[in-house]
């Protein structure tokens, strides 16, 4: 079992819709949870991170964390074609911020 | 603010050859990371430095990979000898400290081993 699991996709949504990206993790001791965006041929860039159960909003992005279910998600409202990318979920087990990445979900936003 | 610099951007070598990658982190960033990203996978941490000391190298294949950050600034990652399965993008990232949430990634070095 991989430590961080993501559906590889592609997830295809129409422009303006809400895109929902999901991630599960196996280590109950995981402390911090990150979402990175990676455009094709580019390096990952941090979208947001979350530590506590519940929702965290930043502009069009909302991260949701449920530690009991070991589940973290990213919602993208009003999706734009420029949001088309691979979204990487990452977790850390301790305060060292050693990131453990999932394989990513490819998102396609159709104009 | 200048970002993380890496060179070369691309490298093609034959198996059993050696190769070295260079990384210059953001100025003032104490923590430096090297990741390996194989096509279709997420990045995997190879080694983490705090200043010029190694914090974590548990996933570095030490029989063929080595890394150093002698003066606590720039870093080199070396592979000797290379194998076909080393074909990947090698990403360098830096953060202000090991306790910083945000890691800034460089553009990466794309390695192809033939």
């Amino acid at each position: 079992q991989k430590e961080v699991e993501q559906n590889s996709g592609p997830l295809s949504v129409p422009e303006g819709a809400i895109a929902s990206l999901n991630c599960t993790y196996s280590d109950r001791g995981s402390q911090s949870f990150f979402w990175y965006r990676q455009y094709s041929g580019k390096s990952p860039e941090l979208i947001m991170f979350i530590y506590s159960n519940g929702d965290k909003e930043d502009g069009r992005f909302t991260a949701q964390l449920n530690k009991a279910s070991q589940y973290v998600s990213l919602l993208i409202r009003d999706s734009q074609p420029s949001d088309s990318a691979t979204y990487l979920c990452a977790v850390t087990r301790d305060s060292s911020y050693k990131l453990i990445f999932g394989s990513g979900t490819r998102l396609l936003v159709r104009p | 603010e200048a970002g993380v610099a890496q060179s070369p951007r691309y490298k093609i070598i034959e198996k059993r050859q050696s190769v070295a990658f260079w990384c210059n982190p953001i100025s003032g960033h104490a923590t430096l990371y090297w990741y390996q990203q194989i096509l279709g996978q997420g990045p995997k941490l190879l080694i983490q430095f705090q200043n010029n000391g190694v914090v974590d190298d548990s996933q570095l294949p030490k029989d063929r990979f080595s890394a150093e950050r002698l003066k606590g600034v720039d870093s080199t990652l070396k592979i000797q000898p290379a194998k076909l399965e080393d074909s990947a993008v090698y990403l360098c990232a830096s953060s202000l400290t090991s306790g910083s949430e945000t890691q800034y990634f460089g553009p990466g070095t794309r390695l192809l081993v033939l």
Side-chain angles (χ1 to χ4, degrees):
Chain A
Q1 182 188 13
K2 291 182 181 178
E3 188 155 354
V4 180
E5 298 256 21
Q6 294 182 258
N7 188 315
S8 61
L11 172 66
S12 181
V13 301
E15 183 174 356
I18 296 175
S20 177
L21 302 156
N22 305 316
C23 170
T24 58
Y25 59 94
S26 61
D27 187 343
R28 283 197 172 275
S30 298
Q31 297 188 0
S32 310
F33 307 86
F34 298 77
W35 283 100
Y36 280 79
R37 177 175 61 199
Q38 186 171 29
Y39 291 111
S40 181
K42 303 294 185 183
S43 56
E45 53 181 336
L46 180 65
I47 299 173
M48 61 193 306
F49 54 86
I50 186 168
Y51 300 124
S52 307
N53 277 329
D55 295 0
K56 180 181 178 183
E57 189 174 316
D58 184 358
R60 295 187 297 113
F61 300 95
T62 299
Q64 299 176 317
L65 175 61
N66 183 326
K67 289 188 176 181
S69 300
Q70 294 176 240
Y71 177 93
V72 58
S73 64
L74 179 71
L75 301 178
I76 307 174
R77 289 181 299 280
D78 189 24
S79 295
Q80 301 297 310
S82 58
D83 294 325
S84 297
T86 295
Y87 289 80
L88 297 163
C89 173
V91 308
T92 63
R93 290 198 218 104
D94 53 39
S95 59
S96 73
Y97 289 103
K98 172 185 171 181
L99 293 171
I100 302 166
F101 283 90
S103 294
T105 297
R106 187 171 161 226
L107 173 67
L108 295 175
V109 181
R110 308 187 305 272
Chain B
E1 176 180 82
V4 177
Q6 288 188 249
S7 67
R9 294 295 311 276
Y10 304 92
K11 191 74 178 179
I12 301 174
I13 61 172
E14 296 195 347
K15 60 183 179 183
R16 291 188 289 274
Q17 286 187 322
S18 63
V19 64
F21 312 127
W22 174 82
C23 172
N24 191 34
I26 293 172
S27 177
H29 280 197
T31 309
L32 185 148
Y33 310 81
W34 282 103
Y35 291 88
Q36 178 193 58
Q37 187 173 22
I38 293 172
L39 188 65
Q41 299 181 19
K44 182 183 83 170
L45 180 68
L46 294 176
I47 189 166
Q48 177 185 350
F49 291 96
Q50 178 69 18
N51 297 310
N52 60 353
V54 175
V55 174
D56 187 330
D57 63 356
S58 57
Q59 296 196 92
L60 187 73
K62 298 180 186 64
D63 57 334
R64 299 184 301 105
F65 286 65
S66 63
E68 60 183 15
R69 194 185 184 200
L70 292 176
K71 296 182 179 178
V73 181
D74 55 353
S75 174
T76 56
L77 176 70
K78 296 179 182 178
I79 308 175
Q80 183 179 10
K83 292 185 175 182
L84 298 177
E85 59 260 37
D86 298 331
S87 294
V89 177
Y90 290 85
L91 295 162
C92 178
S94 71
S95 63
L96 200 56
T97 70
S98 61
S100 302
E101 299 95 349
T102 305
Q103 294 183 24
Y104 298 88
F105 284 82
T109 296
R110 193 173 298 269
L111 174 68
L112 179 60
V113 182
L114 301 175

